[in-house]
Amino acid sequence: MGRAAFEGGHGIADDVLELLREYTANGTPCVLATVVRVEPPTSARPGDKAVITADGRLRGWIGGSCSEPVVRREALRALAEGIPQLVRIVAAEEVRQTRKKGELMVATTCPSGGSLDIFIEPRMPRPLLLVFGDTPVAQAMARLGELTGFRTQTVTQADLAALSVPSIDAWAVVATMGHYDEDALEAALAYPDLDVSLIASTRRAAAVREALLARGLDEKTLVRLRTPAGKVRGVTQEEIALLALSEIVIARQKGGRRHAKPEAPAVVFVTDQVCGMTVDPATAAAGVSYAGQEYHFCGEGCAQRFAADPPSVLQLRQREEAY
């Protein structure tokens, strides 16, 4: 499929960046792939972009059928490891793949020729900060959370019934200041992996704990509840919010709330036995059956070369891999 099939009213790159902003806002893990250098002939150009999600789907344009599968494969690897890398696809007389820190070099005999350098950058979700309440402390907390890199979500009393919390890197601060403390805490503590703080005095926090026990929550659940501002007196609403948020930041640094690794997608990539390019069997341009096994190829040319003499092609590939 050519470039024109991907182009919208304001261009591929703008569409990709718009999609990237959407994923950043809703916490979807993804990878941004950007073409940084080309040597013709190639259908890509510097600045072309694509977004790859954890299901292996690519949206955008970083070149044709030869470059796309290897970029998808390496994007999923980067997403699992959280480490960016440069993928260099170069035309060569012999097939080679060389991996070193931060870089993969793919030497291919693909007849399409040309070379591409593509930078692959994983974009992991920002930590989620749930702020319960519409009080001055809650408002200050939401502003500070945004400034310190959190995705902040304000939770009102009307939102409690529909509350949904991810299992990784989510933090809650109840700053309802006596309005619906128990309801908010019961909703937050229902998520075992959610770190929960209550902004309240020591006396008020003790009363809330007793009320939650009366509601049927056990001590094992309530031990997760922290009261960072319980003993603080004579400070502003903003300072109380800052104190509570600083405890969260320290806890993240110490305890290492880490991003969940995406589940392994159903995509299983294979290697074109002729040119050495990565191929997705589901979208491969051609396939050849030999000795009870199906081989997939990036194009009809490679499939025909393989079909003409499968043993010789496989022996050559084994020598190249051994080298």
Side-chain angles (χ1 to χ4, degrees):
M1 187 177 293
R3 173 186 297 276
F6 288 87
E7 298 214 288
H10 54 282
I12 303 170
D14 288 345
D15 290 339
V16 168
L17 293 176
E18 184 177 336
L19 185 60
L20 187 65
R21 285 191 289 270
E22 177 186 329
Y23 287 160
T24 300
N26 63 27
T28 299
C30 63
V31 170
L32 174 63
T34 305
V35 177
V36 295
R37 189 188 68 86
V38 303
E39 289 185 9
T42 174
S43 60
R45 64 189 179 193
D48 281 347
K49 294 176 173 59
V51 170
I52 302 95
T53 44
D55 58 1
R57 183 177 176 185
L58 182 146
R59 299 164 179 86
W61 181 255
I62 40 77
S65 60
C66 288
S67 57
E68 181 179 311
V70 69
V71 169
R72 289 170 57 210
R73 185 193 71 187
E74 293 305 308
L76 295 177
R77 179 188 181 102
L79 197 58
E81 297 177 351
I83 300 173
Q85 70 167 324
L86 181 68
V87 175
R88 304 187 63 199
I89 303 172
V90 299
E93 295 182 358
E94 293 185 350
V95 174
R96 293 280 186 276
Q97 285 201 18
T98 305
R99 190 182 297 276
K100 60 183 181 181
K101 186 175 181 180
E103 181 180 310
L104 171 69
M105 192 276 288
V106 179
T108 172
T109 60
C110 184
S112 61
S115 299
L116 287 170
D117 286 359
I118 303 167
F119 185 66
I120 292 177
E121 180 186 3
R123 297 293 189 95
M124 307 306 292
R126 292 183 294 160
L128 175 63
L129 178 65
L130 298 167
V131 182
F132 291 75
D134 191 26
T135 62
V137 174
Q139 293 167 8
M141 175 72 69
R143 293 195 301 271
L144 290 171
E146 287 287 347
L147 289 173
T148 49
F150 287 86
R151 289 183 296 126
T152 61
Q153 178 181 336
T154 300
V155 184
T156 67
Q157 191 168 13
D159 299 325
L160 296 180
L163 182 65
S164 178
V165 182
S167 60
I168 295 294
D169 216 1
W171 308 77
V173 177
V174 175
T176 45
M177 311 305 284
H179 289 290
Y180 53 98
D181 296 357
E182 292 83 1
D183 292 341
L185 287 168
E186 187 172 10
L189 290 168
Y191 294 88
D193 295 322
L194 182 61
D195 183 282
V196 182
S197 301
L198 170 66
I199 295 181
S201 67
T202 302
R203 180 178 296 181
R204 174 60 185 164
V208 169
R209 285 177 181 272
E210 290 300 321
L212 291 173
L213 285 170
R215 290 189 179 201
L217 276 70
D218 55 27
E219 289 288 355
K220 183 179 179 181
T221 299
L222 292 179
V223 77
R224 294 168 41 216
L225 178 59
R226 296 186 292 106
T227 53
K231 297 181 180 180
V232 176
R233 297 290 184 271
V235 295
T236 67
Q237 304 295 301
E238 290 77 12
E239 288 173 334
I240 292 172
L242 179 60
L243 174 63
L245 185 59
S246 66
E247 284 207 357
I248 291 175
V249 172
I250 292 170
R252 288 191 75 245
Q253 292 175 345
K254 285 184 177 179
R257 282 299 182 102
R258 305 183 68 86
H259 300 291
K261 290 185 177 180
E263 295 182 4
V267 184
V268 178
F269 296 98
V270 298
T271 301
D272 184 318
Q273 296 296 309
V274 174
C275 70
M277 290 304 299
T278 300
V279 179
D280 179 354
T283 59
V288 176
S289 295
Y290 171 70
Q293 184 174 342
E294 187 73 16
Y295 294 88
H296 302 275
F297 303 91
C298 69
E300 287 292 344
C302 288
Q304 291 172 5
R305 287 176 59 188
F306 179 84
D309 191 357
S312 296
V313 173
L314 293 175
Q315 288 174 9
L316 177 60
R317 287 289 294 133
Q318 290 173 356
R319 288 198 299 271
E320 290 172 340
E321 290 173 357
Y323 179 82

